[in-house]
Amino acid sequence: MKLEIRNLTKDFGTVRALNDFSMVFEPGIYGILGANGAGKSTMINLITDNVARQEGEILYDGTDILKLGAKFRKDIGYMPQQQGFYEDFSARAFLQYMASVKGLKRKDANRQIDELLEIVNLKQHVNKKVGGL
Ligand SMILES: Nc1ncnc2c1ncn2[C@@H]1O[C@H](COP(=O)(O)OP(=O)(O)OP(=O)(O)O)[C@@H](O)[C@H]1O
Ligand SMILES: [Mg+2]
């Protein structure tokens, strides 16, 4: 797995959020440090295709992610700084909702939800409201 960022530039109006930024990510753990407004979130939003590309390329194993589309989305996950939880959903309902957004079948989703809640020791809370956890 190789994620290669080449010469990304991104402007928001007159603000240049990224200026000719290049980087290669290979398997491992990376920390991205920078002052407020340095462009960290913009980089992540471009990698996840949440903001429109302006200039540059993002290659996943050699192919631009914009060409890979759904195939790339299967391989990448993103937990944003600000979480969008629905506090009145139960833990199961919230995870079912997320699974349906991801296109999982209900049966597969329920199996994975059970497996994951077991791993993180939250299985006994599956019917509690997210806002109460
Ligand atoms: N949607 C947007 N519209 C206008 N300006 C934006 C937008 N997103 C980011 N910017 C601007 O682009 C620059 C980079 O912002 P970005 O959010 O990428 O920085 P950051 O490194 O994630 O900062 P922080 O440490 O505060 O999270 C900032 O000047 C910011 O105000
Ligand atoms: Mg940020």
Side-chain angles (χ1 to χ4, degrees):
M1 194 285 288
K2 185 160 123 177
L3 189 68
E4 191 172 356
I5 293 173
R6 286 191 189 157
N7 310 105
L8 277 190
T9 292
K10 176 72 185 178
D11 297 314
F12 295 101
T14 56
V15 175
R16 177 146 290 186
L18 281 177
N19 186 15
D20 198 22
F21 179 75
S22 299
M23 172 78 196
V24 177
F25 293 102
E26 290 183 282
I29 297 172
Y30 294 84
I32 299 162
L33 309 180
N36 292 138
K40 305 178 294 293
S41 293
T42 301
M43 181 194 77
I44 296 292
N45 283 325
L46 285 162
I47 292 173
T48 53
D49 193 24
N50 283 318
V51 301
R53 185 90 60 83
Q54 182 183 319
E55 276 173 56
E57 291 179 307
I58 301 172
L59 307 176
Y60 182 61
D61 286 338
T63 307
D64 199 297
I65 61 164
L66 298 181
K67 286 192 190 134
L68 292 172
K71 195 169 174 294
F72 177 63
R73 288 176 189 284
K74 258 191 155 42
D75 282 1
I76 192 160
Y78 171 39
M79 189 167 73
Q81 235 168 313
Q82 274 89 22
Q83 285 291 354
F85 284 130
Y86 295 114
E87 303 219 328
D88 286 334
F89 278 36
S90 69
R92 178 178 296 284
F94 186 78
L95 291 168
Q96 283 171 334
Y97 166 63
M98 284 295 160
S100 76
V101 169
K102 268 222 149 207
L104 268 73
K105 292 195 182 113
R106 181 168 276 259
K107 200 170 148 231
D108 294 336
N110 278 325
R111 182 179 45 75
Q112 284 193 38
I113 288 167
D114 288 338
E115 283 170 12
L116 291 172
L117 288 177
E118 177 88 56
I119 290 169
V120 297
N121 291 322
L122 285 174
K123 203 167 181 182
Q124 69 276 30
H125 303 300
V126 68
N127 294 317
K128 283 194 189 153
K129 285 185 180 182
V130 167
L133 291 177

